[in-house]
Amino acid sequence: MGADRGPRVPHNLDDFRTLARARLSVFPRIAVPDTEGLRRAAVVLCVVDTGESLAVLVIKRAYRGRNAGQWALPGGRVEPEETTEQAALRELHEELGLTMGPSDVLGTLDDFPAASGFAITPLVATLSDITRLHPSPDEVHSVHRAGFDRLAADDAPHWVLRDSARMDTTTPAIDAAPGEPGLLQMRLGPDMTIHAPTGAMLWQFREVVLLGSDPKAARVADFAQPDWTHH
């Protein structure tokens, strides 16, 4: 683990911005190279102050179209002639009504090569004012806040056998044995268990930005995804 890892996480936006910029500026991010047929998407790990703690905005997608009802970060497809940053900020506005500028972006984590054929670029950013939060009902079913204290908790990441997270989510998951590769579940609250890709990006945010882990121990490209995310 990195030498600056500690038991506390930042509890105000100014402290978080300082910490995140410092850690992301030296983070050797891995980008997925362009290949034929590769599609790109960008998402925002949007950090806000809830009044009680800092949190990342997480959405549950509308129960229609692609990824119906799945947990996600605000974001979407990168259009031709757009940068990943432009796409992420545009999607944040379209989905949640929030306006963010380039100066609000603190850095970028690893691209995640999703089983759906997208390479997803996660941007870390902050917003001081979310009073204009207005989710688009066509795209967003609900908006949630994943608090830093819960994200950083020892029992937030949980690993289960890869074949125990099938399409039937009512089937109890079987815990992976110590040292056995498993499928990540980010358990962030009641009825809020998030798998890769979104869970993987939240996990890397936790490890790299909040906890200061060694980047070599915080890679996510090989994280397994449940069947229902392969679309």
Side-chain angles (χ1 to χ4, degrees):
M1 299 297 179
D4 62 337
R5 181 171 183 154
R8 297 180 61 84
V9 296
H11 284 80
N12 67 73
L13 283 177
D14 287 339
D15 287 350
F16 172 74
R17 290 182 185 113
T18 299
L19 178 71
R21 283 197 178 101
R23 287 179 170 167
L24 289 169
S25 68
V26 296
F27 176 65
R29 73 175 297 267
I30 296 176
V32 173
D34 286 324
T35 57
E36 185 177 355
L38 179 73
R39 296 172 292 175
R40 293 199 176 271
V43 298
V44 184
L45 286 141
C46 182
V47 175
V48 301
D49 189 340
T50 68
E52 298 179 356
S53 67
L54 300 186
V56 176
L57 293 182
V58 179
I59 64 175
K60 179 163 275 193
R61 296 225 168 266
Y63 286 88
R64 67 185 76 180
R66 179 186 291 273
N67 304 323
Q70 291 185 26
W71 292 108
L73 297 165
R77 182 194 300 266
V78 178
E79 300 294 347
E81 308 305 322
E82 268 189 325
T83 66
T84 53
E85 181 176 290
Q86 289 169 339
L89 302 191
R90 171 183 55 76
E91 290 280 354
L92 179 73
H93 181 71
E94 291 177 359
E95 293 181 350
L96 298 182
L98 298 174
T99 300
M100 179 182 287
S103 62
D104 297 310
V105 177
L106 307 177
T108 310
L109 292 169
D110 285 346
D111 287 351
F112 186 84
S116 60
F118 282 91
I120 306 172
T121 301
L123 278 65
V124 178
T126 59
L127 268 184
S128 300
D129 182 6
I130 58 169
T131 57
R132 295 182 180 274
L133 178 67
H134 183 70
S136 166
D138 291 334
E139 299 189 68
V140 179
H141 172 71
S142 54
V143 182
H144 305 259
R145 293 157 177 80
F148 277 15
D149 287 342
R150 182 60 200 153
L151 275 167
D154 289 343
D155 63 345
H158 191 81
W159 303 90
V160 300
L161 293 181
R162 289 172 184 251
D163 63 355
S164 65
R166 301 188 180 94
M167 294 293 289
D168 178 9
T169 57
T170 63
T171 302
I174 302 171
D175 291 352
E180 180 179 7
L183 185 144
L184 171 69
Q185 294 181 338
M186 287 296 288
R187 297 182 174 180
L188 302 181
D191 301 317
M192 192 177 184
T193 297
I194 306 179
H195 301 83
T198 300
M201 292 181 281
L202 286 166
W203 181 84
Q204 190 175 62
F205 171 83
R206 158 202 158 94
E207 292 296 320
V208 172
V209 181
L210 295 186
L211 302 181
S213 298
D214 183 342
K216 293 179 182 178
R219 299 302 185 187
V220 293
D222 61 347
F223 278 26
Q225 297 177 232
D227 292 345
W228 68 83
T229 66
H230 292 202
H231 304 290

